[in-house]
Amino acid sequence: MEFNGGLGFERSYYLASANRFTAAPVLEGDIEADLCVIGGGCTGVSAALHAVRAGYTVVLLEGGQIGWGASGRNGGQIIPGLRKNAVELVNRYGAHDARRLFDLGVEARYVLVDLIRRHRIDCDLKSTGHLTAAVKPADLEDIAREVECLARVMDYPHAVPVDRFQIAAEIGTDGYCGGLLDRLGGHYHPLNFTLGLAEAARQAGVRLFEQSPALIIENTASGVLVKTATASVSARFGVLAGDALLGQLEPGIARHIMPVGNYLVATEPLADWASLVPNDRAVSDSRFVVNYYRLSADRRLIFGGGERYTPSPPADIAAFAAAHMTRVFPVLANRRIDYAWGGVVSVTRSRLPHFGRRGNFFFAHGYSGLGVAWSSFAGLLISEAMRGTAERFDLMARFAPQAFPGGRILRDPLYVMAMLWYALRDRL
Ligand SMILES: Cc1cc2nc3c(=O)[nH]c(=O)nc-3n(C[C@H](O)[C@H](O)[C@H](O)COP(=O)(O)OP(=O)(O)OC[C@H]3O[C@@H](n4cnc5c(N)ncnc54)[C@H](O)[C@@H]3O)c2cc1C
């Protein structure tokens, strides 16, 4: 939680357009349950919901508000697969394992859409596809190889290459030379999804507590003990679902992720939206330091990205992110910016999520910018593993990314150096 201050959640478009949600109480006293979940983002809420549906008694502790972390402030882009593309997965893990990992990344997208439909969550879901926009001609060769690999190795027919004429019709800027359209992608309102999922969990019997940060966790003879400042939960199992905000509650797992600040703006509603993103797709570009954008339900452009070389937020988040937006869309230079905010993305060394367990605590984090689909799916896999069906959880745990060397003190300078290098590479 140490990382989330000063990032302007209170000035986010999502909070301004949030559905009603009755605040949960602060935990008081010493209570018992089968499962204690720490973290009220999509990983934690989904783990809680799936566990209660399986007959567990479940307590969820959120240190701030439900959806207060990345789950309630992200770009809302639904992108099937993994952060590593199919070609990279095959080169690194071989065709067999690459296919198994990729299939889980596709299933994550189906699970997300199923949760929205099953619980009738009002979150502006658009299954309009995700476009990767190519910024340089060399990207087109990579895209051709990727589409071929997706079809041949992954048996994935939903991705098609986009040529320079098609991309010009897709996006109202002359900055791109082609792209890749994934028809299974899309976008949604992330905070309303998280709140809707939490409401479904509450209705199913999960006991939610907000403003109740877990300060001490222990494995005990009978399970786990989780202590807040004034109260505690004893349970058979625990779930650590704090992602980039878990901090040093469990330093052994925090070493596997790098927290990276990322910033967004939402413009005023745009009368000319159809000349910018006429097919209402989610778009991200092929830069290493990605620009990503999409329309909101009320036709604002929600634009995120840019380069930030230190983990601390820029003094003026709106000016910082808007400068990147107008580089892509000069036509937006004089439009009003109604909202600006930031969040913390957790990135792993291999860009694969980090799943595992420490005694009776299960955890999943480090989705490396693809957590919209992966977080809810991870909650499902954790609940499966707790019930003894750990095949898919174990597959992910087998590919656990290595820790970053040197702990927090070294990680920040390493991050700055890495960002500078990749930003330079983008420019070249
Ligand atoms: C700016 C931004 C843009 C992004 N855009 C996209 C995108 O477009 N597409 C995509 O796929 N992914 C995107 N992501 C990534 C995605 O949002 C995350 O991977 C995902 O939301 C992580 O969900 P989570 O539940 O694991 O963590 P979070 O949503 O961060 O939830 C963790 C929760 O745990 C709580 N917590 C932490 N420690 C404690 C404690 N000790 N006690 C109690 N509670 C605690 C926090 O308060 C927080 O609410 C983006 C992320 C950011 C920050």
Side-chain angles (χ1 to χ4, degrees):
M1 297 204 299
E2 57 189 304
F3 302 115
N4 227 18
L7 296 178
F9 186 49
E10 62 290 350
R11 293 189 304 279
S12 87
Y13 165 72
Y14 300 133
L15 200 58
S17 53
N19 295 335
R20 264 175 86 88
F21 181 80
T22 306
V26 174
L27 176 69
E28 285 173 5
D30 301 320
I31 62 171
E32 292 181 7
D34 294 327
L35 171 64
C36 177
V37 176
I38 300 173
C42 292
T43 302
V45 173
S46 166
L49 174 62
H50 285 102
V52 84
R53 284 207 315 224
Y56 285 64
T57 54
V58 184
V59 167
L60 184 147
L61 302 181
E62 164 53 46
Q65 295 159 239
I66 300 286
W68 188 76
S71 297
R73 22 171 118 204
N74 62 54
Q77 306 215 347
I78 301 167
I79 308 171
L82 287 151
R83 173 54 76 203
K84 283 264 176 250
N85 67 28
V87 171
E88 289 170 315
L89 288 175
V90 171
N91 288 344
R92 181 145 184 190
Y93 303 109
H96 178 72
D97 283 335
R99 171 75 192 264
R100 293 172 75 201
L101 290 167
F102 181 81
D103 282 352
L104 290 183
V106 176
E107 197 183 343
R109 179 272 183 201
Y110 283 110
V111 165
L112 174 69
V113 172
D114 183 56
L115 282 169
I116 294 171
R117 300 216 165 112
R118 181 193 295 226
H119 298 288
R120 296 198 174 85
I121 298 176
D122 175 12
C123 62
D124 307 332
L125 174 67
K126 294 283 172 60
S127 298
T128 43
H130 172 260
L131 248 182
T132 305
V135 294
K136 52 186 193 306
D139 295 336
L140 299 180
E141 292 161 29
D142 293 341
I143 285 173
R145 272 194 293 275
E146 178 69 4
V147 171
E148 189 275 329
C149 180
L150 283 169
R152 185 175 49 81
V153 183
M154 307 302 181
D155 197 15
Y156 186 77
H158 308 287
V160 288
V162 170
D163 66 24
R164 70 193 166 95
F165 301 108
Q166 291 164 319
I167 199 83
E170 287 277 358
I171 308 175
T173 175
D174 52 13
Y176 302 127
C177 54
L180 184 155
L181 173 63
D182 186 335
R183 293 204 171 93
L184 269 196
H187 57 87
Y188 74 168
H189 188 304
L191 180 59
N192 280 339
F193 171 70
T194 312
L195 295 177
L197 199 67
E199 192 52 45
R202 179 155 54 189
Q203 297 297 327
V206 174
R207 297 169 70 190
L208 302 177
F209 296 96
E210 292 180 297
Q211 313 296 346
S212 304
L215 302 179
I216 296 172
I217 58 172
E218 287 167 18
N219 275 291
T220 62
S222 57
V224 302
L225 178 64
V226 177
K227 293 182 183 166
T228 68
T230 55
S232 72
V233 184
S234 307
R236 277 165 58 205
F237 296 110
V239 173
L240 303 176
D243 198 35
L245 308 177
L246 192 65
Q248 295 308 304
L249 193 63
E250 171 51 81
I253 72 166
R255 292 173 56 230
H256 291 257
I257 58 158
M258 175 91 74
V260 178
N262 198 272
Y263 306 94
L264 297 100
V265 285
T267 64
E268 62 184 317
L270 300 172
D272 54 346
W273 62 269
S275 64
L276 301 176
V277 199
N279 296 320
D280 201 3
R281 315 236 196 247
V283 183
S284 44
D285 68 24
S286 62
R287 290 173 179 277
F288 183 85
V289 185
V290 179
N291 291 318
Y292 55 97
Y293 45 91
R294 66 175 180 97
L295 295 168
S296 64
D298 58 355
R299 306 302 190 192
R300 302 166 189 279
L301 192 73
I302 298 187
F303 186 101
E307 304 152 353
R308 184 75 191 153
Y309 307 138
T310 71
S312 60
D316 184 342
I317 293 176
F320 176 81
H324 295 285
M325 180 183 75
T326 50
R327 234 165 269 150
V328 178
F329 294 111
V331 68
L332 295 181
N334 296 320
R335 307 302 170 85
R336 208 177 59 233
I337 301 296
D338 282 346
Y339 304 98
W341 67 99
V344 187
V345 186
S346 69
V347 176
T348 65
R349 280 178 75 175
S350 66
R351 304 296 186 268
L352 293 189
H354 183 212
F355 282 66
R357 72 184 279 187
R358 295 278 186 277
N360 289 316
F361 284 100
F362 292 80
F363 65 84
H365 63 166
Y367 311 116
S368 303
L370 254 65
V372 160
W374 266 97
S375 52
S376 299
F377 187 51
L380 168 64
L381 297 193
I382 287 172
S383 83
E384 283 179 1
M386 262 170 358
R387 284 177 281 140
T389 314
E391 194 184 333
R392 299 191 295 177
F393 183 92
D394 284 349
L395 175 65
M396 293 309 299
R398 185 152 74 80
F399 290 96
Q402 288 184 318
F404 285 93
R408 180 79 204 282
I409 291 167
L410 244 185
R411 266 189 297 158
D412 285 353
L414 272 179
Y415 163 61
V416 173
M417 270 161 33
M419 292 295 278
L420 280 168
W421 159 245
Y422 285 114
L424 184 67
R425 216 174 63 164
D426 275 348
R427 291 216 178 85
L428 293 175

